[in-house]
Amino acid sequence: MPMTALNAAHPVPDRHGGNLFTADASLRALLPVYLPGKLLAHLQPILHELGAQAGGALDTLAGEADRHPPTLSLRSRDGRDEQRVIKHPSYIEMERLAFGRYALAAISHRQDLLGWQGQLPAIAKYVLTYLFVQAEFGLCCPVSMTDSLTRTLKKYGDPDLVQRYLPALTSQDLDTLAQGAMFMTEQGAGSDIATTATLARPDPLHPGQWLLSGDKWFCSNPDAALAMVLARVEGDPPGMKGVSLFLLPRDRDDGTHNAYRIIRLKDKLGTRSMASGEIRLEGASAWLIGERGRGFAQMADMVNNSRLSNGVRAAGLMRRACTEATYIARHRQAFGRRLADLPLMRRQLQKIALPAEQALSMVFQTAQALQRADAGDDAQAKALARILTPLVKFRACRDARRVTADAMEVRGGCGYIEEWADPRLVRDAHLGSIWEGTSNIVALDVIRAVRREGSLQALTSHLEDLLANTGLDPAHSELFQTTLRRATLLTQAAAAEGGESLARQAASALYHLTSAVAMAWEAGRMDTTERLQLALRVLCHRLLPRDPLSVTEEGPVT
């Protein structure tokens, strides 16, 4: 049922049926900053349509799929070994929307999609994902992995393999679509890829193919048509240098299932709509991708692309939580006043909104850098994208856990009830800090980018360029410059010998600084000072010294 004035006047406000695109003033204000006018005009109707879907029908489908998670069928009714994941019809309908109508996995790999002639930029994909995930998080993992697998295959795979699988990987038709996955995690390895135990040996019957044996412990989208798998070629050296990357098809050329089994599905805290399982490889046929012994470096490209998608998802979850909390505060009455008019609630809404605004700016900045890096031989852009990606993954995913929980509190007791979206948002938000590397691993990856790839210099140069084009007054300009110098020194200390204990502190500092500078730069291109005030608030509350016993005033939230 569409949202009406009657819904808003009810003692328990419910914005279901509202448009999540039109409700997002920040997104609508930022799109002209990052997208050319002609493209934005073309995308506007699609964004309106998806915003309405995400606030209504898609949200309903997501709730149904969350309450009816997938199941594993191991045998057919006549006793044949025919393992398959059975998905709820609501999840399948969401697949049609994500892969089909909105082409979320194909945008980066095909031209002439969504009615646009030519190649859509990466920002278009991430904005659509940002809206979609506000209703459904779980499905966005297979979408991201399909997109990332396609990227990695195109970059490192044999041309014959690319030609063979690319059409299916980028199909918008579920009947011909090949979804992707990545099988990395092992019980004894976890984030320590160097201890990968899965073995690969040449297939004596099929030259050029390999046979994989071993167990993979956490495999999302386990029945995907194609998966990237890390394995150690039998006899290759121990450690990272012995790990190679392989492409594993679900089915053989003759239509029979490849030699691996889904042992069971995981009973997860969140992302219940999407299957994750344990897989046992029993001599499964696969193809080597890229250079032997360079598996982790090649898989890292896929992981980094997924990390950015993870950050986008975190930003979307925070925005949905913020939208819900703001709506409740504006339409819920208590003690004879709107919640939004109560000083403590205004302060709470500000604390919910600020990380969401930071994440949105960081997503735009990172997508822009990635697009420049992919466009050619821009070493500066590659180094910038290399550090921005783990920064977004590290901080935005951590912030999403707190923001979704605080927003649930605004709804009160109803927020704890599974009929509402809040519990699903909280459960799903906790996954971001685990997938594609836990917080410690990703913070150390930021430091690795500083040490090995000159990414700190690329980032500071980028921030100085933004500051030079903000039009700040001298006092604010000096404040930003001083903070930039201090954050640089902290990061250099974290990257120095013995400085790893500072990695998380440095990563957080760089994230907050970058988001603040980006928001100040954005403010110079918008007809409002509000974004500059947000940037200054980030500096004040995240980077500058504060007395916890001081008396401070917070500005109003309207």
Side-chain angles (χ1 to χ4, degrees):
M1 181 176 67
M3 185 172 61
T4 64
L6 178 63
N7 293 39
H10 191 273
V12 181
D14 182 0
R15 72 168 315 282
H16 180 75
N19 191 307
L20 291 175
F21 176 65
T22 58
D24 193 342
S26 293
L27 175 61
R28 289 185 285 108
L30 284 175
L31 285 174
V33 176
Y34 288 97
L35 288 177
K38 184 178 180 180
L39 175 58
L40 178 56
H42 178 81
L43 289 176
Q44 285 277 7
I46 300 170
L47 296 173
H48 275 277
E49 176 193 308
L50 179 52
Q53 289 265 18
L58 180 58
D59 193 49
T60 298
L61 292 171
E64 290 173 350
D66 184 73
R67 290 188 292 273
H68 300 90
T71 58
L72 177 62
S73 175
L74 295 175
R75 297 170 72 85
S76 67
R77 66 181 184 179
D78 60 0
R80 284 178 291 179
D81 185 358
E82 199 175 76
Q83 59 176 329
R84 61 193 181 102
V85 174
I86 301 174
K87 305 169 184 176
H88 190 268
S90 294
Y91 184 85
I92 295 172
E93 182 58 31
M94 291 193 297
E95 286 182 311
R96 295 188 193 280
L97 290 170
F99 288 102
R101 170 66 186 107
Y102 300 110
L104 297 182
I107 284 178
S108 294
H109 312 289
R110 281 177 52 190
Q111 296 191 352
D112 304 335
L113 290 175
L114 301 177
W116 179 258
Q117 290 187 343
Q119 183 67 57
L120 284 165
I123 287 178
K125 174 182 69 178
Y126 291 125
V127 170
L128 289 165
T129 302
Y130 170 83
L131 284 173
F132 194 98
V133 78
Q134 292 185 46
E136 166 61 13
F137 184 98
L139 175 58
C140 287
C141 173
V143 168
S144 171
M145 289 193 297
T146 304
D147 177 22
S148 299
L149 183 147
T150 305
R151 174 186 172 93
T152 303
L153 179 63
K154 287 164 59 179
K155 189 170 183 178
Y156 299 108
D158 183 276
D160 289 341
L161 284 179
V162 176
Q163 184 177 9
R164 177 177 182 174
Y165 288 119
L166 186 61
L169 285 166
T170 59
S171 174
Q172 292 177 266
D173 182 353
L174 284 190
D175 292 334
T176 58
L177 171 70
Q179 292 189 31
M182 52 183 175
F183 301 163
M184 289 196 303
T185 308
E186 299 181 4
Q187 280 184 307
S191 297
D192 187 3
I193 300 299
T195 59
T196 294
T198 298
L199 290 178
R201 67 181 191 278
D203 185 342
L205 300 179
H206 301 91
Q209 293 191 35
W210 297 78
L211 302 177
L212 307 184
S213 300
D215 284 5
K216 294 295 184 180
W217 179 241
F218 205 109
C219 305
S220 290
N221 208 22
D223 65 336
L226 295 164
M228 289 291 185
V229 182
L230 289 177
R232 186 180 306 283
V233 174
E234 205 166 34
D236 276 7
M240 199 72 78
K241 291 182 179 179
V243 177
S244 297
L245 181 62
F246 297 86
L247 181 67
L248 174 77
R250 179 186 58 208
D251 300 317
R252 300 186 182 95
D253 291 341
D254 62 5
T256 60
H257 189 66
N258 205 348
Y260 69 87
R261 303 186 61 79
I262 304 173
I263 302 300
R264 64 168 178 167
L265 299 185
K266 300 286 194 181
D267 185 8
K268 298 172 294 182
L269 171 68
T271 63
R272 294 176 177 173
S273 63
M274 183 268 302
S276 299
E278 299 165 22
I279 285 181
R280 175 163 297 158
L281 301 158
E282 300 170 327
S285 299
W287 285 274
L288 179 68
I289 297 298
E291 184 181 345
R292 181 168 161 180
R294 293 274 298 164
F296 176 74
Q298 292 156 182
M299 177 66 94
D301 186 74
M302 181 175 178
V303 169
N304 279 331
N305 201 51
S306 294
R307 282 177 175 173
L308 175 53
S309 295
N310 218 326
V312 174
R313 283 174 264 166
L317 289 179
M318 285 191 277
R319 176 59 61 193
R320 173 68 188 278
C322 184
T323 299
E324 293 289 329
T326 303
Y327 182 85
I328 294 161
R330 288 174 175 167
H331 295 98
R332 174 78 167 162
Q333 297 278 336
F335 311 108
R337 301 168 67 184
R338 292 190 317 158
L339 294 185
D341 295 329
L342 302 174
L344 277 178
M345 180 57 71
R346 291 203 304 271
R347 183 164 183 155
Q348 185 173 358
L349 291 175
Q350 289 173 343
K351 293 174 73 173
I352 289 171
L354 189 59
E357 298 291 350
Q358 289 180 262
L360 183 57
S361 291
M362 288 295 288
V363 164
F364 275 122
Q365 288 286 312
T366 308
Q368 201 173 56
L370 182 64
Q371 185 171 317
R372 292 200 307 270
D374 286 345
D377 296 325
D378 187 340
Q380 187 86 348
K382 290 179 180 178
L384 178 61
R386 175 65 182 84
I387 194 170
L388 287 178
T389 298
L391 284 178
V392 172
K393 162 69 167 76
F394 170 70
R395 189 70 255 170
C397 292
R398 293 185 62 76
D399 286 345
R401 291 165 18 194
R402 178 176 58 81
V403 167
T404 53
D406 285 354
M408 178 165 60
E409 185 178 341
V410 174
R411 179 162 266 135
C414 285
Y416 199 66
I417 305 302
E418 291 285 351
E419 291 175 306
W420 301 81
D422 304 80
R424 190 169 78 245
L425 295 177
V426 171
R427 287 188 274 104
D428 289 349
H430 278 72
L431 184 61
S433 294
I434 298 174
W435 262 351
E436 284 98 34
T438 58
S439 296
N440 285 349
I441 294 298
V442 180
L444 289 171
D445 192 46
V446 171
I447 301 306
R448 190 178 300 113
V450 172
R451 287 174 175 169
R452 299 180 183 177
E453 302 183 45
S455 288
L456 181 59
Q457 182 179 353
L459 179 60
T460 54
S461 296
H462 176 66
L463 297 181
E464 287 168 352
D465 288 344
L466 292 181
L467 287 173
N469 291 279
T470 57
L472 292 171
D473 61 58
H476 286 149
S477 179
E478 177 58 28
L479 181 63
F480 275 99
Q481 291 288 354
T482 299
T483 308
L484 173 56
R485 288 192 293 270
R486 295 189 64 200
T488 300
L489 289 173
L490 170 61
T491 306
Q492 289 170 340
E497 186 71 26
E500 286 188 353
S501 62
L502 298 172
R504 291 173 69 129
Q505 183 183 350
S508 288
L510 290 179
Y511 177 88
H512 294 313
L513 173 66
T514 303
S515 62
V517 172
M519 287 193 286
W521 175 82
E522 293 161 352
R525 282 141 187 82
M526 300 162 67
D527 296 328
T528 175
T529 62
E530 182 180 356
R531 207 141 192 90
L532 177 58
Q533 295 305 312
L534 290 172
L536 295 172
R537 194 172 293 173
V538 172
L539 291 188
C540 177
H541 291 278
R542 298 288 182 262
L543 293 169
L544 299 180
R546 294 182 67 220
D547 180 356
L549 300 181
S550 66
V551 178
T552 60
E553 290 292 334
E554 297 284 344
V557 170
T558 59

